[in-house]
Amino acid sequence: MNRLPISLLAILMLVVLPGCDYRILERIGFTYAASYDAAPQNQVEITVSIPRAEPTIKVKRELHSAIGQSSKDARIKFANETDLLLVNGQIRVLLYSEALARKDLSNEINSILRDTSISPLVKITLVNGNAKELLSKNYKQHLSTDKYINRLLEKSSSNHRIPRTTLYEFERDYYDDGIDPIAPILKEAGEDIAVDGIALFQDYKYIAKISNRDALLFSILRGKFKKGDMSLVLSRGEDGSSSEYIMFTSVLSNRKVHVERRAGGTIHVTINANFKGSVHEYIGNKKLSVDAQRHEVESKVSEIMTESANRLVKQLQLHKVDSLGIGIHVRNSMSYEAWKKLNWREEYQKVEIECKLHFKAKDYGKIR
Amino acid sequence: MNTETKEKLSPFHTTILVHMIQTGVMALILPQLLAETFGTNGWITVLGFGLIATINILLIGAVYKLGKGRSIFQILEQSIPKFMLVPVYLALAIVWSMLGCMAGKEYILIFQMYAFPTTDPMEFKFIMDLLVFWLLTKGLYNITKASTVFFGLFVWMFLLLFFFYTDFSWSRLTPFLFKGGHFTYLESMDIYSSLLGYEVVLLMFAYTNKKTKFVKSVLIGNGMTTLTYSYLSIVTFGVFSLEQLKNKAFPVLEMLAYIRFPFMERMENLLYGFVLFTVLFSILMYEWCALEVLKQIFPKLKANFLAFIVMLTCFLIAYIPKTLNEVGDWLSTLSMIESGIAFGLPILLLVVLMFQKMGRSPAHE
Amino acid sequence: MTFSKALRNMIVKESASQTNQDDQSPPEQDSKPPTLAHTLEEFVDCSDITHRTFPDHQIDLVYFDQLTDKDKLSRHILSPLLSGSDEDVAKMVKHLQPFKTTSSKTLILDVLSGGIAVFHGPDAYVFDVYSPEARAISQSETETVITGPHDAFTEQINTSLAMIRARLKSSHLKVIKLSVGEVSKTDVYLLYIKDIVNMKFVEEAKKRIQQIEVDAILDTNMLIQYMDDNKYSIFPQYLTSERPDAIVSKLVAGRVAGIVDGSPSVLSLPTSFFEFFSSSDDYYQRWILGSAIRLLRFIAFVITISFTALYVSVTTFHYEMIPENLLMTLTESRSRVPFPPLYEALLMEVTIELLREAGARLPTKIGQTIGIVGGIVIGQAAVQAGLTSNILIIAVASSAIASFVIPSYVMSASIRLIRFGLIMLAGFLGNLGLVFGIAAIVIHLSGLTSMGTSYLNPVAPFKPKDWKDIFIRAPFTALRERPSQSSSPNVMRNKTKE
């Protein structure tokens, strides 16, 4: 009966009450990548890269940078320099310089976490050197630098050259008391950007670095994954001619962590990792089609890998960074009170960690 | 409107309606509250709270059985003079209408954190109240019909939880039970309030018949809510680490933000809108209760006019609290009172019914 | 004063509800005996009336030449009269079995519907030789199918009825003849199958049709608007179809059909929202195909409703939701557009509607040209001129195409109109506006009824048994029961042993 006036009223109100928070696509400048550098007096220098998509102008991106107390402080400064409404909702990459990360990233990370418009899938990366320079430079043979970095990180993490470190994972590992966060490190390499290794954090503080060479090993030790490739020198011949070399791809791996308390209160942790791969290259005198000989190669690979894994773990223990999440397993093996009493950061160094890696060749290509 | 008196609720619709009333904004905050209050594996307590709700529903069921399906107003007015009941009714109406109103405002304020930060929240509230009013005038039977469709539009979102299977880790749940939390009664009341909504069925007696299988359907509805909440919480606990969870204001929204499709990202912007469908029913049914009570106080006035008054008052009251925290405080106070009502009212009714029985049986002999 | 009264009416319940007495006075009994003079007086100034006198036999004929079958007229009536004796005339009268009419009013009605009035002394007879000019049976323009019968109803009520009768050789197919329109006196046939139909629908439909008091009813789609439960709704509350096979399937499902003289569409009642998404050729395809197509239609519905609105909402408010790969393309295409997305979208939607309407009004051949010209103008020039972004064109076009997938033209038109509302809501309030809009549609739908049954059958009331014939088209072995909406007394429809 009185439905008509009500619906008319509703339509009227809708016309009268439009929201005023327009974020019309072409009038906003969405930061795609941002870099953070340490500046004097505890300030930070922030650089943002904003892609432009105007067909009429040739500029591909806008760069702004400012020094301020906090990231938002700097943001206000460079907001004055652009005709676009600056927003954070499309940030894909955050670059922090190593120098800043060595101090502490907690202020920067927290201000990002508070911002509802920033996606939890933002990638967090350290830069070996000056982050601003890395982001500002145009790399001739590549896409726009911000996109180049983003795609590089995506590709590298998909084949486990580096671990996937989004804001979500970084924060999760920070808050978890049994694991420490990690992040990839990039560096400028002439006309390219290259992955430099994996940064190991203690809370939000950058402590040490794993070199590129050990990256895949690190990934194997850290958990399950499906893709990656690796090359190993199995033995070096005396004269260099009869050296044995192997390369395998599409590694499937899983790991099991076994914790036991030995007599005397020491904690003994065994990491069992099985990984399978297809052999793509093999230089040596063994015939892979012969079971016995292949097993020999396999055990050789396992042996070498185990050895370097143990070395890697020792290195981690030395730096007191539990990036592999051994703490989670130790924690889950004991009672809550005992865990709380344990100062894991200190205890970690004393834990006996033994890695056992087992390699299996799934197949060995077209040659028998 | 006379179809309303003819058509009785069917069991399925009752179940869905109860589920829709219970699910609300609190679901977005629930995992954080659980982590804060109970610590590790706090999600298990949802089942416990569900059990408490079940007991409460059984209590209501007892009223239903003993009262032989009479409405609570008939039961009360048979033994207690009306002038004494009017203040009680009025108080109930105020609590219920405010509860609905605050739930709506909270929903909108949360939304404004993500979009439309500078728009006046009351604009959204106005449209929302318009929708509620519209449904309110349609009567309970049509409300249940709408609830079924809205349920369909909403329930698929639980499938999205499958997105987290890669990031879900059992070891993150830890083997510890309720460690590292900080238990307070106040917070646990807040958790319980996320299950509130079932008590609305107290006023639905008049709309049911034998075929409704009233108690059973309400119990199933409550069971559904309990299970979906526990499922949601367990996923949240496995995806976020405990301390992280404690630090998140809206962990569920954060999880939605994590979902990414090739054609669309940051799903929380859209999916948060879909939460409206269930929030709408939480609001609606409290306002409906207020309306039912008001109908008893003012039998002469038209239901639609009363509904208009209820919604207008609500809209005006919603102007008072301005910030998310204020609304949260109002909401916890109100839901505390509401928990009291949820238990108190059926007990009161049972007492009244006992008296009626005692009074009647000698008279019959 | 009237305002305060109206206000009071809104606030206070009426003390004693006044029962609305149906003032159904018995039809005027016009017992005036039919006479030639009176008849001619009625038809005075109707220059198309024919009056022939045969003084030999003392016979007068009054008829409308254009309504009668000339062949029959000359063979059975004129030739005996012209050549024969009185006996022949008596024989003729016997042979043709005319109705002897006693009331002047019925006589006039009969003449109007193609009878020949024969006045013989004091007696008056009527011969029915009705045969108007009719269109031949042809294909339906609006509801074409690829497989399945191609014939469609015509404007001629008896042809339409014959097409149904030919498909249902059952004495249980009952027909109620009604007449609507004070001037037009349009015939309406209500069809149902006894023992399958629930008689309450027949009674209700009959009552509603009888209650219509209007000068003329020209089409079924006009009639059903007089019968609506909810007059203000945008949604059609009765299903109309031009396909006899579709109507027969509705009849055997326990629904009531109604044919209106002069209209090629036939109505079926009660109906539900979801029924508009099924087409009769779903049943002629293999069931998996039929199911897939039906699901496709529901997807099309979602696309139609939400695609453009989502574009507007995302580009206006929720830029976060755009995936990285699409972001630059979208921004680039938007960057030259001078209007906000809302106006851009409305502009394009209106243009598409203009094209559609122009195409529908013009003859098919020119209509095609319109399509091509419009397609080029909109698709190419608008983008190149920077009036719209090409992604919007895709959104608008795909939602327009999707809207045509819905088989019922009336429903698809309603849905297209709703879309405009959603686009505006999305332009003002973003995703929340979109959700508000969807909520409003659902609320409106849940209040709708068709003949007193829920319009959202079988979702609400929840009848999962019926879903296999609504959302999918299950194999026939699974479709054993009639839909619950028709609340048929005879539920089983398929007793085939597996």
Side-chain angles (χ1 to χ4, degrees):
Chain A
M1 190 182 73
N2 40 22
R3 216 174 278 159
L4 206 63
I6 287 175
S7 34
L8 279 178
L9 184 75
I11 291 165
L12 186 80
M13 293 315 280
L14 276 177
V15 177
V16 177
L17 297 176
C20 52
D21 291 291
Y22 289 113
R23 302 244 188 289
I24 298 176
L25 199 58
E26 70 275 12
R27 292 185 206 157
I28 53 175
F30 25 81
T31 313
Y32 192 97
S35 73
Y36 295 74
D37 282 291
Q41 289 151 16
N42 254 345
Q43 289 187 315
V44 269
E45 180 173 22
I46 296 175
T47 310
V48 289
S49 163
I50 301 159
R52 294 294 306 246
E54 295 272 346
T56 43
I57 51 171
K58 274 210 167 151
V59 183
K60 275 204 177 143
R61 59 179 183 145
E62 267 181 50
L63 280 166
H64 295 280
S65 83
I67 297 176
Q69 283 299 334
S70 71
S71 53
K72 301 285 150 180
D73 185 27
R75 181 168 291 277
I76 291 165
K77 284 183 186 162
F78 51 64
N80 295 331
E81 300 168 2
T82 175
D83 59 329
L84 300 169
L85 177 72
L86 285 181
V87 290
N88 291 333
Q90 288 278 0
I91 294 188
R92 308 277 157 177
V93 189
L94 293 171
L95 302 157
Y96 297 95
S97 75
E98 273 184 347
L100 187 71
R102 279 206 194 276
K103 277 196 224 162
D104 194 6
L105 286 181
S106 53
N107 285 340
E108 279 70 33
I109 298 282
N110 279 332
S111 88
I112 280 162
L113 284 173
R114 196 175 290 284
D115 191 338
T116 49
S117 68
I118 292 179
S119 159
L121 294 172
V122 175
K123 296 180 190 70
I124 291 188
T125 320
L126 293 197
V127 175
N128 183 353
N130 190 320
K132 181 187 172 183
E133 273 168 26
L134 183 91
L135 183 61
S136 317
K137 189 175 168 186
N138 286 321
Y139 301 86
K140 257 187 268 160
Q141 51 177 343
H142 296 285
L143 297 161
S144 171
T145 309
D146 42 15
K147 255 175 239 166
Y148 171 39
I149 295 173
N150 186 32
R151 299 231 175 131
L152 178 71
L153 288 172
E154 238 160 51
K155 186 220 81 189
S156 307
S157 69
S158 78
N159 58 19
H160 292 273
R161 283 269 124 220
I162 52 168
R164 208 172 81 112
T165 40
T166 58
L167 180 62
Y168 153 73
E169 277 144 341
F170 197 72
E171 185 202 11
R172 184 190 68 199
D173 292 348
Y174 165 75
Y175 279 115
D176 202 321
D177 49 6
I179 189 166
D180 284 318
I182 48 173
I185 308 178
L186 296 179
K187 70 164 184 227
E188 200 185 314
E191 284 301 302
D192 307 290
I193 296 174
V195 176
D196 192 34
I198 299 165
L200 307 173
F201 282 77
Q202 230 178 48
D203 293 341
Y204 283 148
K205 213 166 153 188
Y206 170 49
I207 298 290
K209 176 160 106 178
I210 291 178
S211 67
N212 236 342
R213 188 165 50 92
D214 289 330
L216 190 77
L217 187 65
F218 182 76
S219 292
I220 291 172
L221 289 174
R222 206 166 196 251
K224 216 170 168 174
F225 74 89
K226 270 192 185 146
K227 215 171 130 192
D229 44 28
M230 174 159 234
S231 56
L232 273 184
V233 177
L234 294 183
S235 65
R236 241 175 260 284
E238 264 77 77
D239 50 356
S241 58
S242 61
S243 68
E244 213 177 348
Y245 168 85
I246 190 166
M247 188 231 165
F248 45 89
T249 60
S250 48
V251 180
L252 286 158
S253 113
N254 62 21
R255 89 168 173 174
K256 283 201 175 70
V257 180
H258 185 71
V259 180
E260 73 184 304
R261 308 211 67 160
R262 290 273 163 86
T266 51
I267 302 166
H268 187 89
V269 179
T270 325
I271 302 176
N272 272 311
N274 291 314
F275 59 105
K276 280 186 257 178
S278 345
V279 178
H280 266 209
E281 263 188 288
Y282 173 73
I283 301 167
N285 47 15
K286 302 222 170 52
K287 235 179 143 47
L288 292 181
S289 54
V290 180
D291 278 355
Q293 292 190 21
R294 192 178 66 247
H295 289 319
E296 216 172 293
V297 172
E298 280 173 358
S299 59
K300 189 91 189 228
V301 170
S302 308
E303 203 180 290
I304 292 171
M305 294 283 280
T306 306
E307 200 181 296
S308 39
N310 279 322
R311 178 180 47 77
L312 185 68
V313 168
K314 280 274 155 355
Q315 194 191 336
L316 292 178
Q317 276 181 308
L318 191 73
H319 291 296
K320 292 195 199 171
V321 281
D322 182 13
S323 311
L324 296 177
I326 292 163
I328 293 178
H329 297 273
V330 173
R331 178 185 69 196
N332 291 357
S333 74
M334 54 173 64
S335 76
Y336 183 75
E337 285 72 23
W339 169 253
K340 279 282 138 178
K341 247 194 284 172
L342 201 73
N343 184 350
W344 175 242
R345 181 83 65 219
E346 296 305 319
E347 192 69 23
Y348 176 59
Q349 279 190 307
K350 297 177 205 151
V351 174
E352 291 173 14
I353 303 172
E354 194 189 343
C355 303
K356 286 179 187 160
L357 277 78
H358 305 280
F359 173 69
K360 241 193 165 76
K362 246 185 352 180
D363 51 64
Y364 37 86
K366 290 193 288 187
I367 305 175
R368 279 184 62 78
Chain B
M1 291 303 113
N2 43 13
T3 48
E4 187 184 329
T5 44
K6 265 188 283 169
E7 307 255 22
K8 298 294 183 187
L9 299 177
S10 79
F12 178 79
H13 289 303
T14 317
T15 305
I16 294 298
L17 185 62
V18 168
H19 175 68
M20 290 295 277
I21 303 168
Q22 284 185 303
T23 342
V25 210
M26 286 305 278
L28 304 173
I29 316 170
L30 183 71
Q32 191 267 336
L33 283 174
L34 288 170
E36 183 87 52
T37 319
F38 295 103
T40 51
N41 285 316
W43 58 272
I44 294 172
T45 51
V46 177
L47 300 173
F49 284 114
L51 203 66
I52 300 176
T54 308
I55 293 166
N56 198 168
I57 291 168
L58 288 175
L59 216 58
I60 295 171
V63 176
Y64 182 67
K65 283 269 148 64
L66 282 176
K68 299 196 178 61
R70 282 180 302 161
S71 83
I72 62 162
F73 304 116
Q74 285 171 329
I75 296 171
L76 284 174
E77 279 161 28
Q78 193 183 333
S79 306
I80 305 171
K82 191 144 183 202
F83 70 90
M84 281 170 73
L85 282 172
V86 166
V88 179
Y89 284 173
L90 215 53
L92 285 175
I94 289 170
V95 171
W96 280 329
S97 60
M98 297 248 286
L99 203 57
C101 153
M102 287 303 136
K105 178 115 189 196
E106 177 158 34
Y107 172 83
I108 282 159
L109 284 178
I110 295 175
F111 181 78
Q112 286 206 304
M113 283 175 46
Y114 286 85
F116 302 101
T118 59
T119 312
D120 186 0
M122 294 316 281
E123 285 182 20
F124 296 106
K125 179 87 171 88
F126 176 78
I127 300 171
M128 195 166 179
D129 283 354
L130 215 58
L131 287 179
V132 172
F133 173 67
W134 192 7
L135 260 175
L136 208 53
T137 55
K138 284 197 181 293
L140 186 64
Y141 183 67
N142 285 330
I143 290 175
T144 57
K145 282 202 294 185
S147 80
T148 316
V149 182
F150 281 127
F151 174 72
L153 290 175
F154 168 74
V155 75
W156 61 271
M157 279 171 62
F158 281 101
L159 295 180
L160 291 175
L161 290 176
F162 283 103
F163 265 89
F164 300 100
Y165 271 37
T166 46
D167 281 300
F168 180 87
S169 138
W170 288 103
S171 60
R172 209 166 289 133
L173 284 173
T174 73
F176 314 132
L177 199 59
F178 311 147
K179 292 288 159 55
H182 176 70
F183 180 83
T184 58
Y185 284 102
L186 212 64
E187 297 251 299
S188 47
M189 284 303 269
D190 269 353
I191 297 173
Y192 186 65
S193 76
S194 62
L195 280 171
L196 278 180
Y198 58 84
E199 72 280 1
V200 165
V201 301
L202 266 172
L203 299 178
M204 288 186 202
F205 290 172
Y207 301 94
T208 60
N209 58 11
K210 278 233 173 66
K211 267 197 193 154
T212 310
K213 295 192 189 108
F214 189 59
V215 182
K216 195 176 147 196
S217 359
V218 177
L219 281 176
I220 294 174
N222 179 50
M224 266 168 73
T225 317
T226 314
L227 284 182
T228 47
Y229 272 12
S230 340
Y231 179 49
L232 179 71
S233 310
I234 197 174
V235 172
T236 324
F237 270 73
V239 168
F240 293 121
S241 55
L242 183 67
E243 292 300 316
Q244 186 185 17
L245 199 52
K246 284 185 191 172
N247 273 298
K248 294 265 170 239
F250 307 104
V252 178
L253 281 180
E254 191 114 336
M255 288 207 327
L256 292 179
Y258 188 86
I259 297 170
R260 156 152 98 171
F261 291 110
F263 47 89
M264 205 178 273
E265 290 185 353
R266 303 294 298 280
M267 294 299 285
E268 92 270 23
N269 280 298
L270 183 63
L271 297 180
Y272 186 66
F274 279 77
V275 177
L276 172 83
F277 296 144
T278 162
V279 173
L280 202 62
F281 275 86
S282 312
I283 305 168
L284 170 71
M285 285 318 282
Y286 281 120
E287 305 297 355
W288 179 80
C289 285
L291 180 65
E292 285 291 296
V293 176
L294 283 178
K295 271 192 208 162
Q296 294 299 314
I297 308 179
F298 307 106
K300 281 235 175 74
L301 296 185
K302 271 193 180 168
N304 282 4
F305 174 69
L306 283 175
F308 178 70
I309 293 293
V310 168
M311 292 318 295
L312 188 70
T313 339
C314 266
F315 181 66
L316 293 177
I317 289 175
Y319 266 107
I320 302 171
K322 291 266 190 284
T323 65
L324 198 55
N325 269 358
E326 276 173 11
V327 175
D329 288 346
W330 281 54
L331 210 53
S332 15
T333 318
L334 283 168
S335 40
M336 202 133 55
I337 301 172
E338 179 62 16
S339 320
I341 294 173
F343 276 97
L345 199 56
I347 290 172
L348 171 76
L349 284 163
L350 280 178
V351 171
V352 170
L353 279 168
M354 294 293 187
F355 271 112
Q356 283 176 4
K357 234 187 191 159
M358 276 198 293
R360 206 184 306 136
S361 40
H364 272 286
E365 279 168 3
Chain C
M1 201 200 82
T2 45
F3 178 72
S4 67
K5 209 174 193 177
L7 201 65
R8 204 186 141 70
N9 265 339
M10 267 174 77
I11 296 171
V12 185
K13 277 183 199 166
E14 278 166 44
S15 45
S17 60
Q18 218 172 349
T19 46
N20 198 2
Q21 207 89 59
D22 287 335
D23 47 350
Q24 270 186 316
S25 55
E28 247 177 79
Q29 291 290 321
D30 196 345
S31 50
K32 220 189 253 177
T35 59
L36 177 65
H38 183 251
T39 312
L40 286 176
E41 192 190 319
E42 275 286 332
F43 290 120
V44 75
D45 289 345
C46 297
S47 49
D48 52 341
I49 194 95
T50 315
H51 175 212
R52 296 178 78 155
T53 319
F54 298 89
D56 297 357
H57 305 292
Q58 288 179 317
I59 275 179
D60 283 88
L61 298 183
V62 177
Y63 61 92
F64 283 101
D65 197 32
Q66 65 276 27
L67 291 180
T68 47
D69 187 340
K70 308 236 164 34
D71 186 41
K72 259 190 194 166
L73 180 71
S74 67
R75 198 137 42 92
H76 297 298
I77 299 169
L78 293 183
S79 59
L81 281 176
L82 287 172
S83 61
S85 56
D86 276 5
E87 264 170 54
D88 285 337
V89 175
K91 215 170 159 190
M92 165 200 102
V93 167
K94 218 182 201 174
H95 180 66
L96 280 180
Q97 296 182 331
F99 309 99
K100 187 172 177 187
T101 323
T102 49
S103 149
S104 169
K105 191 176 181 179
T106 44
L107 180 110
I108 286 161
L109 260 180
D110 286 338
V111 172
L112 282 170
S113 36
I116 295 176
V118 179
F119 295 93
H120 184 245
D123 294 334
Y125 303 93
V126 176
F127 294 96
D128 186 14
V129 285
Y130 179 53
S131 167
E133 298 300 325
R135 185 162 66 91
I137 295 173
S138 62
Q139 278 208 27
S140 167
E141 293 280 325
T142 51
E143 295 168 68
T144 41
V145 292
I146 294 161
T147 48
H150 291 287
D151 53 345
F153 290 122
T154 67
E155 286 79 1
Q156 234 263 307
I157 192 164
N158 286 322
T159 321
S160 300
L161 185 57
M163 287 163 87
I164 293 174
R165 277 255 181 243
R167 283 179 163 81
L168 282 176
K169 292 179 191 66
S170 162
S171 59
H172 280 225
L173 174 66
K174 306 292 181 193
V175 179
I176 300 176
K177 188 176 175 185
L178 298 164
S179 165
V180 203
E182 276 159 26
V183 180
S184 71
K185 304 224 168 46
T186 315
D187 283 338
V188 175
Y189 289 159
L190 272 186
L191 277 66
Y192 62 91
I193 301 177
K194 202 180 110 191
D195 297 341
I196 289 179
V197 82
N198 188 327
M199 285 308 283
K200 83 176 179 206
F201 294 122
V202 180
E203 296 303 327
E204 179 68 24
K206 196 172 146 191
K207 203 179 96 195
R208 285 192 192 183
I209 292 174
Q210 279 169 344
Q211 273 172 0
I212 299 170
E213 287 180 31
V214 70
D215 48 3
I217 292 283
L218 304 175
D219 189 73
T220 315
N221 289 312
M222 189 174 164
L223 176 80
I224 58 177
Q225 291 180 55
Y226 283 97
M227 297 163 68
D228 274 349
D229 292 24
N230 311 74
K231 302 227 181 324
Y232 295 121
S233 175
I234 192 171
F235 293 105
Q237 288 149 50
Y238 298 93
L239 189 96
T240 52
S241 175
E242 292 188 6
R243 303 181 47 78
D245 54 330
I247 290 301
V248 166
S249 79
K250 301 290 171 208
L251 279 171
V252 293
R255 299 183 203 270
V256 182
I259 315 176
V260 177
D261 196 12
S263 166
S265 34
V266 174
L267 73 98
S268 131
L269 61 95
T271 190
S272 76
F273 179 69
F274 303 101
E275 217 186 329
F276 288 91
F277 291 85
S278 59
S279 160
S280 48
D281 58 346
D282 298 348
Y283 296 94
Y284 310 141
Q285 309 260 23
R286 304 289 309 161
W287 72 272
I288 296 177
L289 262 159
S291 301
I293 289 168
R294 228 174 241 188
L295 286 176
L296 184 74
R297 290 199 195 105
F298 286 102
I299 295 169
F301 171 63
V302 174
I303 290 176
T304 307
I305 285 272
S306 62
F307 217 48
T308 317
L310 207 58
Y311 169 86
V312 170
S313 151
V314 165
T315 49
T316 318
F317 298 105
H318 303 283
Y319 69 94
E320 296 105 326
M321 290 173 67
I322 308 166
E324 189 203 336
N325 299 334
L326 216 62
L327 185 67
M328 279 299 118
T329 338
L330 203 56
T331 323
E332 201 175 326
S333 74
R334 269 290 306 162
S335 63
R336 288 180 63 206
V337 182
F339 323 112
L342 173 64
Y343 299 110
E344 180 197 10
L346 285 179
L347 184 81
M348 285 317 292
E349 288 283 357
V350 169
T351 319
I352 290 254
E353 286 299 296
L354 283 175
L355 269 180
R356 187 197 53 74
E357 188 64 15
R361 296 287 155 258
L362 288 168
T364 339
K365 298 238 166 59
I366 309 175
Q368 279 173 358
T369 335
I370 283 283
I372 294 163
V373 169
I376 290 168
V377 166
I378 289 173
Q380 287 294 119
V383 174
Q384 276 175 9
L387 282 180
T388 53
S389 71
N390 37 25
I391 294 186
L392 175 77
I393 300 268
I394 297 169
V396 169
S398 50
S399 54
I401 292 168
S403 78
F404 295 119
V405 170
I406 297 157
S408 160
Y409 181 76
V410 190
M411 181 52 100
S412 113
S414 305
I415 288 168
R416 272 206 309 278
L417 193 60
I418 291 171
R419 197 171 59 188
F420 281 92
L422 281 177
I423 290 170
M424 284 207 264
L425 272 169
F428 291 135
L429 298 171
N431 283 343
L432 199 60
L434 191 60
V435 172
F436 277 143
I438 294 170
I441 294 171
V442 173
I443 293 171
H444 174 66
L445 279 174
S446 62
L448 282 186
T449 49
S450 168
M451 279 320 226
T453 61
S454 167
Y455 195 54
L456 284 178
N457 254 313
V459 171
F462 188 69
K463 298 273 162 35
K465 260 189 190 170
D466 290 352
W467 286 22
K468 52 184 186 274
D469 197 14
I470 285 286
F471 295 111
I472 56 166
R473 205 282 280 167
F476 287 119
T477 44
L479 304 177
R480 294 192 168 266
E481 293 179 12
R482 300 206 157 82
S484 60
Q485 191 182 22
S486 53
S487 51
S488 163
N490 186 350
V491 173
M492 293 304 286
R493 74 184 323 179
N494 176 4
K495 302 181 188 86
T496 323
K497 300 226 167 44
E498 279 178 56

